Amino acid sequence: MNLEPFFIAMAVAILFLMLCNLYRVVAGPTVIDRMLGMNVIGTKTTVLIVLIGIIDGRVALFIDITLAYALLNFITTIAAARFYQRLAQPAPPEPRESMVAPSAGPEVKVVDAPPAAPDPVRKETR
Amino acid sequence: MTWDASLLWQFDILILLMMVICAVTALALEGLLSSAIATGVYSFLICLMWTHMMAVDVAFTEAAVGAAISTVIFLGTAQYISRWIKKDRPKEQGIKQLTLVIAMICAGMMLAATRDLPDWADTASPASTHLSPGYIEQGYFETATPNVVTAVLADYRSYDTMFEVVVVFAAALVVMVLLRHTSHKHRKVLHLRPKREGRDTVLRGAAQSIIPVMQIFALYVLFHGHYSPGGGFQGGVIFGASFILLALCYNLKFSMNRFKEHAVLWCCAGGVLLYAGIGAACLSLGMNFLGYGALADGLGVSVVMARSHGILAVEIGVGITVMAVMVSLYYDLASGGDLEDGL
Amino acid sequence: MIIDILVITAMLTGLLFFVATTVGIIRFPDFYSRVHAAGKGDTLSTTLFLGGAILFILGDFSGDTLLTAGKLLLIVFYIFIASPTATHAIIDAGYEFRVPYWTRPIKDNGTQGDEENEETLDNGFYPEDLKG
């Protein structure tokens, strides 16, 4: 049985699903929603590279790319999450003049950390 | 399976559509982190495009450099500078409009130039009739390297690759000069490191199982570049990414204890020195700069095998430099230049 | 023949889970439930797809295909570890940033509201920094 049309159909279907997931990257509403969209698109890309390799009959060449991709997509998502987490931390205690970047000019000031929000767990018991 | 049939138009249309959406999103979004994420998705898609066009080595480089490391560097830069950005500064609006005009003019010129490009996989184009057949037919017999991309990159076009490595090295130097600008007591510009006892257990467990495989895989990619896609750039990036993952899952200090700053700087320069040193050795032995055939007598092998070994040696140099530069860029960006308090 | 049927079954099931993931990511009202959809469906469907690919590659058995299938198995293993860990990291970051979660609005008499009248992100707290 020739499975090639089936694989092509699968690959096109996954591409359509990627297009749908791109909505989350475009629309947000928050940065971590975009991160989530990026992670999901990256996972689908891993599958797609293998499928393209099977369609072209050269899986052995593409498999190294897929392995590197799977490992590095993980790093990208972790980095995005940790950098975002870092923005949630309180700012350093005393803003000083030297904290302003030298090229930014005198009128710029340090952006404050977001105000503390009510605890989500407590809100649930309302 | 022929090559023509592999170019499926559905793939092209869908990937192109998504790439355009990503590019417009990256421009339109306000937040820098969001824009960095949109460019990351763009990198994923263009890697898919290279894979689809059978440009395997380019796809590998894009997967390693574009999708992973450059996105991490964009994100690090965004979180570093986002605290200094003030919205709606009138001075910047004028510059932005000027940039838009310049970008539109450049895009128009490029679109006009696309008419002169040869078709995809056009065997009658000048590049396919003059230079490529020589590499493809003679490459294996002259360098004993089955992967013609590696042979061209590290042997026939060795000068280019050497200066690419020098550019990468210069990037690390520039970031160091830009970020390490203040005296030590004024450097506390970043937020404090999260106090997170016990909450990173899952990440650390995953990192412990992934990092060893990643490093072995990086060495495999580096040393197997003669036979399969890969080489110094890709292997170096993956090896550097393993240290970045260590720093992300533990913290900067933990990673810097494993790979100290002095070692990073020595590796940065050492790879470039290894590359240039091999070229100088060839020169001193009476051949051209980077003419690896000169090493044949010293190694006790034939000229062809000497070229193969020379390719391997310069790939190792490339790998060392790229690995160290990636780690150095991350150390500087994540800590804001002081290498003290960071992720 | 049997292998082909197995490959088709695995990939169609995987596609089903991909569709479910996509619907969840687009339709769910708040961030936490979206991560829930992505973390579970994506991992399983990737595993199913790559499992189908392994079966297909092992269809013509030789040393080369065995090596390729072994590498694919490695990819499956590491995606199985990495994908849930990545979603864990994302949701940890979201929790630390106090991303608002969705609740069904509560009426005056104490009963929960209708499906039609629900408000997404009830009294949502959106600090400016959430937008990056």
Side-chain angles (χ1 to χ4, degrees), chain A residues 46-118:
Chain A
T46 315
V47 176
L48 263 178
I49 293 175
V50 173
L51 277 181
I52 291 175
I54 290 177
I55 291 168
D56 291 338
R58 296 173 162 228
V59 196
L61 273 184
F62 289 9
I63 213 75
D64 289 344
I65 304 178
T66 320
L67 186 50
Y69 205 96
L71 291 174
L72 292 173
N73 180 29
F74 173 64
I75 291 185
T76 314
T77 314
I78 300 267
R82 296 308 288 269
F83 282 136
Y84 189 64
Q85 209 164 33
R86 188 176 200 187
L87 286 177
Q89 296 304 309
E94 292 252 332
R96 282 192 292 256
E97 282 296 313
S98 61
M99 291 168 65
V100 179
S103 60
E107 80 268 36
V108 188
K109 72 175 198 317
V110 176
V111 176
D112 289 324

Side-chain angles (χ1 to χ4, degrees), chain C residues 1-46:
Chain C
M1 189 64 199
I2 293 174
I3 284 182
D4 285 352
I5 291 171
L6 279 176
V7 170
I8 291 177
T9 315
M11 288 203 176
L12 280 180
T13 322
L15 193 69
L16 188 71
F17 281 108
F18 261 150
V19 171
T21 307
T22 308
V23 170
I25 283 179
I26 292 178
R27 289 286 300 153
F28 274 153
D30 72 343
F31 163 70
Y32 300 100
S33 46
R34 279 178 216 139
V35 176
H36 164 80
K40 297 199 166 152
D42 233 28
T43 314
L44 181 57
S45 50
T46 309

Side-chain angles (χ1 to χ4, degrees), chain B:
Chain B
M1 197 66 219
T2 60
W3 281 61
D4 285 339
S6 71
L7 193 68
L8 298 163
W9 59 270
Q10 299 98 326
F11 281 35
D12 290 340
I13 302 263
L14 278 170
I15 295 175
L16 184 67
L17 179 64
M18 285 192 277
M19 275 162 62
V20 170
I21 291 175
C22 276
V24 173
T25 309
L27 282 177
L29 287 178
E30 268 187 22
L32 282 177
L33 273 179
S34 309
S35 290
I37 288 169
T39 48
V41 178
Y42 185 89
S43 297
F44 289 176
L45 295 168
I46 203 158
C47 169
L48 205 53
M49 198 63 165
W50 296 134
T51 318
H52 181 216
M53 291 172 82
M54 291 294 209
V56 190
D57 281 88
V58 186
F60 205 158
T61 315
E62 185 64 34
V65 181
I69 296 295
S70 73
T71 311
V72 172
I73 288 173
F74 276 144
L75 289 164
T77 314
Q79 64 100 32
Y80 179 67
I81 65 174
S82 62
R83 66 200 69 236
W84 288 307
I85 286 183
K86 199 176 171 188
K87 287 183 179 113
D88 301 328
R89 291 169 73 187
K91 216 191 304 176
E92 285 178 2
Q93 291 299 321
I95 295 175
K96 275 180 186 168
Q97 281 160 8
L98 185 66
T99 318
L100 181 68
V101 171
I102 293 174
M104 294 301 264
I105 292 173
C106 289
M109 283 160 69
M110 283 186 186
L111 280 176
T114 46
R115 290 193 311 150
D116 298 336
L117 289 177
D119 284 341
W120 188 73
D122 182 11
T123 50
S125 68
S128 306
T129 50
H130 291 293
L131 213 50
S132 303
Y135 291 146
I136 293 168
E137 287 162 11
Q138 298 297 320
Y140 181 71
F141 302 105
E142 285 178 2
T143 62
T145 306
N147 184 1
V148 71
V149 178
T150 305
V152 171
L153 189 85
D155 190 310
Y156 297 108
R157 290 277 174 267
S158 209
Y159 274 120
D160 294 1
T161 312
M162 191 178 101
F163 285 103
E164 276 171 35
V165 178
V166 172
V167 166
V168 171
F169 177 63
L173 289 188
V174 166
V175 170
M176 247 176 248
V177 169
L178 283 178
L179 288 185
R180 303 185 185 180
H181 55 81
T182 48
S183 64
H184 184 76
K185 63 175 182 176
H186 292 309
R187 274 183 194 154
K188 288 276 177 195
V189 287
L190 286 177
H191 288 171
L192 300 171
R193 189 163 61 75
K195 293 274 186 296
R196 309 174 42 81
E197 276 79 26
R199 283 182 66 185
D200 287 342
T201 316
V202 176
L203 278 184
R204 289 176 183 181
Q208 278 170 5
S209 68
I210 283 177
I211 286 174
V213 178
M214 227 166 134
Q215 295 187 340
I216 291 171
F217 179 64
L219 293 179
Y220 162 80
V221 168
L222 205 165
F223 288 107
H224 211 252
H226 282 46
Y227 305 100
S228 67
F233 282 100
Q234 295 92 335
V237 167
I238 297 172
F239 209 98
S242 70
F243 286 104
I244 294 178
L245 181 60
L246 196 68
L248 283 169
C249 291
Y250 289 80
N251 54 46
L252 193 65
K253 279 283 176 216
F254 191 85
S255 182
M256 284 183 71
N257 283 336
R258 298 290 189 280
F259 195 22
K260 292 195 169 55
E261 196 205 352
H262 278 284
V264 173
L265 296 182
W266 274 108
C267 286
C268 276
V272 181
L273 270 180
L274 177 61
Y275 203 136
I278 286 171
C282 298
L283 196 64
S284 67
L285 287 171
M287 294 231 343
N288 291 328
F289 190 70
L290 291 168
Y292 309 130
L295 304 172
D297 289 339
L299 294 171
V301 291
S302 65
V303 173
V304 175
M305 280 313 290
R307 289 178 79 165
S308 178
H309 293 329
I311 290 174
L312 180 63
V314 300
E315 290 272 19
I316 290 173
V318 172
I320 291 172
T321 296
V322 171
M323 180 260 296
V325 166
M326 294 305 152
V327 176
S328 167
L329 286 180
Y330 178 79
Y331 282 178
D332 282 337
L333 278 175
S335 64
D338 64 352
L339 302 181
E340 293 237 323
D341 201 13
L343 279 174

